[in-house]
Amino acid sequence: MLTGEIEKPWLGHKDPLARMAYWLTYLVAFIGIAASALRCWFAYTSVPMMKGNLCLILEDDFNGDSLNTDIWEYEVTMGGFGNGEFEMTTDSSNNTFLRDGYLYILPTLTSDVIGRDAITNGYTYNITGCTTATSNDSSTCGAVSNNTAGTVINPAMSARLNTKKSRSIQYGRVEIRAKNPVGDWLWPAVWMLPVNNTYGPWPMSGEIDIMESRGNGLSYTAQGSNYVHGSLNWGPLTWLNEVWRTTGWWTERRSSFADAFHTYALEWDEDFIRVYVDTRLHGMLQVNMKVPFFERGDFPPVVTNGTEQIALENPWVYGTKAAPFDIPFYLIMNVAVGGTNGWFPDNAGDKPWINGASNAMQQFAQAQDKWATTWPQDEYSRALVVYVLRLWDSIGLPKY
Ligand SMILES: *[C@@H]1O[C@H](CO)[C@@H](O)[C@H](O)[C@H]1NC(C)=O
Ligand SMILES: *[C@@H]1O[C@H](CO)[C@@H](O)[C@H](O)[C@H]1NC(C)=O
Ligand SMILES: *[C@@H]1O[C@H](CO)[C@@H](O)[C@H](O)[C@H]1NC(C)=O
Ligand SMILES: *[C@@H]1O[C@H](CO)[C@@H](O)[C@H](O)[C@H]1NC(C)=O
Ligand SMILES: *[C@@H]1O[C@H](CO)[C@@H](O)[C@H](O)[C@H]1NC(C)=O
Ligand SMILES: *[C@@H]1O[C@H](CO)[C@@H](O)[C@H](O)[C@H]1NC(C)=O
């Protein structure tokens, strides 16, 4: 029988310790919530946003039958672009084509065109439509294979497209939605170079890398297709590149950027450069321009090159504090194959060439059975596939 109230120990007893514990729980929870709110607020306000207005100057969704050559220029060469790359870049529809509203940049095997033996001995290949003929270096437009001399015909074909003559931005935004290629030693990239070498030859006038990756699988120890990189290349001399100070990456632990489309973005104004994938929370690179690049480099007054002593001068002395990233840059999209500049380090993976070897391309060509089998037959998987590209120029900012 019930007489009076049911005892509710959690309400009735006025044990001061229990009450304190009760309030303490709420106090701690409240402090936690307030602290995270503050943290979010400070994180939010510390993310610089672009000044000025953006003006869309290019939107290419790659619909239609063929690439818009009023916008895009093919770079056709066998020269390796100063990186010792092993592909030749063509203007052939074998390597660049539009399909179902997508742009494909597809690496192919040179052996499919001239046969395997011709690549390594007794053949001369001259590339049609070579765009580097004016550089007085005919070797970039043709190659002779000679087993004894250690020379080969570039064993892969691919493509490199740019907007140099049609579109450039000086501060602004770039967005590209793309799927990366699968295949060992493939090197897809979306990046920018200066229209004019205002501050001197590369890398003195800068380079902005929005996305670079490697087609090697997830087990590759030098960061395969589950990593994407963003970087700024700059330096006061042609052989002094300080890219290591301004480079970063984003990774998906168990999936690859070659599995699905992602959006790569660059935000660039006079105060900062940010490169990210899909969302600003997935940042690859953020560089604040408060520190001028010559100061950031922390260079000694004199550098030694062999027996030569070179007094270092600031090449950006007449630029803004963002120099060299204060001049017009144009866009490049390409898929390279291999190379000797160190993007593929000697100590990682089952790498069939040595970067320092004078016959590195021959070593690569001789190992074709090894790497060609990792390149999917399926063109969609093997290509850099681009869905849309947008380029905004920044207006309303002072430009120099
Ligand atoms: C394109 O590929 C086909 C098949 O591999 C080949 O026969 C043709 O010569 C290639 N075209 C060029 C320009 O390389
Ligand atoms: C090519 O050579 C000619 C004659 O020697 C020279 O005038 C010209 O400047 C050179 N062009 C380049 C791009 O080096
Ligand atoms: C083809 O390339 C070779 C090797 O670079 C070169 O010696 C030759 O002059 C080129 N031939 C033509 C017709 O351009
Ligand atoms: C191949 O290279 C060797 C060594 O450089 C040279 O002696 C030979 O004449 C070359 N062969 C041809 C066909 O050019
Ligand atoms: C690049 O330099 C050329 C020659 O000096 C000039 O005509 C052109 O306007 C410059 N382009 C840009 C984008 O600065
Ligand atoms: C020395 O400088 C020259 C150009 O001035 C460059 O080609 C060379 O790579 C440099 N050597 C070293 C070891 O940095």
Side-chain angles (χ1 to χ4, degrees), residues 117 171 190 196 205 228 264 295 304:
D117 292 343
Y171 309 129
V190 177
N196 285 331
S205 297
V228 283
Y264 302 95
E295 234 172 86
T304 311

Side-chain angles (χ1 to χ4, degrees), residues 25-42:
T25 309
Y26 280 94
L27 186 67
V28 168
F30 175 77
I31 291 173
I33 291 166
S36 13
L38 270 177
R39 204 165 156 241
C40 286
W41 171 253
F42 283 123

Side-chain angles (χ1 to χ4, degrees), residues 90-95 108-114 125 128 157:
T90 80
D91 58 5
S92 159
S93 58
N94 284 356
N95 302 112
T108 58
L109 298 174
T110 307
S111 58
D112 291 345
V113 182
I114 61 173
Y125 189 92
T128 52
M157 297 179 169

Side-chain angles (χ1 to χ4, degrees), residues 73-81 89 127 129-142 160:
E73 189 184 4
Y74 292 95
E75 291 181 52
V76 178
T77 181
M78 302 175 80
F81 300 103
T89 50
I127 198 165
C130 188
T131 55
T132 47
T134 51
S135 70
N136 291 350
D137 181 6
S138 68
S139 70
T140 59
C141 294
R160 166 154 151 167

